[in-house]
Amino acid sequence: MKQKFRMFSFVKVGDNLGRSMKLYPRDFHAIVAGTCSQLHGGADTDSYSLYRLDKQGKIVDSIAWYPEHALTLLGTQNRDRAEEMVEDWNRLGCDE
C-alpha cells in the first residue's frame, strides 16, 4: 500500500496547510474517501479526498485534495461505522 491512510480512516486535518491552501477549511475531523490515485487513477498517492465532519461527528461536506502531511490518524477507528456514515451521506444526496 503506497498511501499512508486507508479509505474509511478517521483523520484530523491540522492548521498548517501552507499558503497554497489558505482558503481551505482546517482544524476538523474527517473520513478518508481515498487518494487521487485510488479514486481517479494515476500515481498521486499523497493527495486525499475527505468527508468533512462537524463537531457532532456528522458528515457535512466532501472536499479534496488535502496533502498527506496535513492529516493525522485519530486514535479511535471504526471502519464499519465510517463506511455506514458515507453510505448514508451518499444515499441522502449529500445534503441532509
Side-chain angles (χ1 to χ4, degrees), residues 20-85:
S20 65
M21 298 184 73
K22 67 182 176 184
L23 300 178
Y24 275 62
R26 56 193 70 228
D27 193 27
F28 63 89
H29 290 183
I31 298 170
V32 173
T35 64
C36 186
S37 175
Q38 289 172 317
L39 300 173
H40 301 289
D44 185 355
T45 58
D46 295 327
S47 300
Y48 288 83
S49 178
L50 306 171
Y51 294 98
R52 184 178 178 184
L53 304 175
D54 65 12
K55 297 287 185 190
Q56 291 73 41
K58 180 180 176 186
I59 296 175
V60 294
D61 199 6
S62 61
I63 189 166
W65 298 104
Y66 279 85
E68 182 178 280
H69 72 81
L71 309 178
T72 304
L73 192 66
L74 293 175
T76 301
Q77 297 293 315
N78 185 335
R79 182 181 169 89
D80 291 340
R81 176 69 182 131
E83 190 170 0
E84 181 180 296
M85 291 169 66

